[in-house]
Amino acid sequence: MDWLMTLGVLAIIIPSLYIYTASVVATRFPTLQNKRICLLIAHPDDEAMFFAPTVLALTRPETGNHVKILCLSSGNADGLGETRKRELAKSGLTLGLRKEDDVYVVENPDFPDSMTTEWDKNKISTLLCAAFAPHLAKSRADNAAPTASIDVIITFDAGGVSSHPNHISLYHGAKSFVAALVAGKPGWTPPVDLYTLTTVPLARKYTGFFDVVATLASWAFGTEMKNKKRPGGLVFINGIAGTGGVTTAWRAMVTAHKSQMVWFRYGWITLSRYMYMNDLKLDKIQGR
């Protein structure tokens, strides 16, 4: 009976500590405010499966942010492209986006939904320049500071979370885009900050909210915090329930991405730490 009582106490204490930690992170940790933010993803459902804590945190009205999602494929590998585009729009609204028009899906044969195909980083960079920095050539000709229609781009890191080549390609393409903004301008800081989602080892990936200790330790010891307006790292942790909690993230997957809810995805949304928390790193890029 003693061990049952111990388990009962732990079942109360551990979730309570997690909920308290999530509230502290939401109110006291660095965040982004009054920014125009683009979440760059490869497939419909990436926003919910990997970035839900980030989107939920940055779309809170009090932050003043305007978050948009740019998806470079419709996920049409199984012929469900049109369905998945509608699902992405529904998921985005569930996670806090302002309107359906804040979700844009690219249909381009250069970016096929494939587990084996790497996308050309230069083509991604060119697309991003056309979308967010259309006057870059003129700025260069006038030797003027570059401008962009977004302040922040968020995407996968070089590990792509799942080693998916499409995810990894986004990192290299986004990095090329930001670097292109200040190419030939030694020491200049680009007008767009690049934040990337940290890939964690497999042993941590499926620990759910128990990964909170490792996540916070990694952030505390590995993040430069000299510039509070441009933090070197960000941590977002979902609460358990209520608006903006992990239940909202679950709803974005289960009710929006119905075509993708095969049996193993229920395991993912229950056990994956990415449904509960995200830690992002600022990729520092300067002109050369």
Side-chain angles (χ1 to χ4, degrees):
M1 292 298 293
D2 287 345
W3 66 270
L4 284 175
M5 183 175 294
T6 300
L7 286 177
V9 171
L10 290 176
I12 296 172
I13 291 177
I14 293 175
S16 298
L17 287 174
Y18 173 82
I19 292 169
Y20 173 74
T21 301
S23 68
V24 170
V25 170
T27 56
R28 300 183 186 179
F29 276 43
T31 188
L32 301 177
Q33 294 183 313
N34 302 311
K35 300 293 186 183
R36 300 165 298 175
I37 301 169
C38 172
L39 174 64
L40 179 65
I41 59 176
H43 319 101
D45 75 15
D46 287 349
E47 83 296 337
M49 287 182 63
F50 305 111
F51 292 96
T54 295
V55 181
L56 287 166
L58 295 180
T59 55
R60 290 178 185 138
E62 63 269 23
T63 66
N65 296 317
H66 190 175
V67 179
K68 297 186 177 186
I69 294 175
L70 175 59
C71 184
L72 293 201
S73 83
S74 63
N76 197 37
D78 298 317
L80 296 172
E82 291 304 314
T83 296
R84 297 194 68 186
K85 285 195 286 186
R86 291 191 296 270
E87 290 177 341
L88 173 57
K90 183 176 180 179
S91 172
L93 293 175
T94 300
L95 294 173
L97 268 63
R98 298 180 184 180
K99 53 187 185 298
E100 284 191 17
D101 289 346
D102 287 336
V103 177
Y104 186 78
V105 180
V106 173
E107 294 277 19
N108 190 319
D110 290 330
F111 309 124
D113 176 12
S114 171
M115 289 290 294
T116 58
T117 302
E118 292 184 8
W119 297 341
D120 188 321
K121 69 176 184 180
N122 295 318
K123 291 181 179 178
I124 296 173
S125 176
T126 298
L127 183 150
L128 295 175
C129 280
F132 303 125
H135 306 298
L136 182 58
K138 187 177 186 303
S139 297
R140 287 175 176 167
D142 296 341
N143 198 32
T147 59
S149 59
I150 57 173
D151 304 303
V152 175
I153 188 165
I154 296 172
T155 193
F156 296 96
D157 69 2
V161 175
S162 59
S163 300
H164 197 303
N166 296 168
H167 296 175
I168 295 169
S169 298
L170 293 185
Y171 166 72
H172 294 293
K175 187 173 182 179
S176 294
F177 160 64
V178 176
L181 296 176
V182 287
K185 304 294 182 182
W188 284 31
T189 298
V192 178
D193 285 332
L194 172 61
Y195 283 91
T196 58
L197 180 63
T198 302
T199 297
V200 300
L202 184 63
R204 288 178 53 192
K205 188 181 291 186
Y206 296 102
T207 55
F209 64 70
F210 291 103
D211 194 55
V212 66
V213 175
T215 296
L216 292 178
S218 176
W219 175 83
F221 293 107
T223 302
E224 184 178 311
M225 300 305 299
K226 294 179 180 179
N227 188 342
K228 292 185 178 180
K229 292 184 178 181
R230 193 170 176 250
L234 300 165
V235 177
F236 302 116
I237 300 178
N238 282 338
I240 295 293
T243 302
V246 70
T247 53
T248 304
W250 289 341
R251 191 166 71 251
M253 274 301 297
V254 174
T255 65
H257 291 289
K258 290 183 178 179
S259 71
Q260 301 304 297
M261 288 310 296
V262 291
W263 68 269
F264 58 83
R265 289 238 161 77
Y266 287 95
W268 174 271
I269 66 173
T270 303
L271 299 176
S272 170
R273 53 88 70 182
Y274 289 98
M275 297 298 294
Y276 297 87
M277 65 202 72
N278 286 164
D279 52 323
L280 311 175
K281 295 291 177 62
L282 175 66
D283 205 314
K284 293 185 178 180
I285 300 169
Q286 288 191 318
R288 296 182 178 179

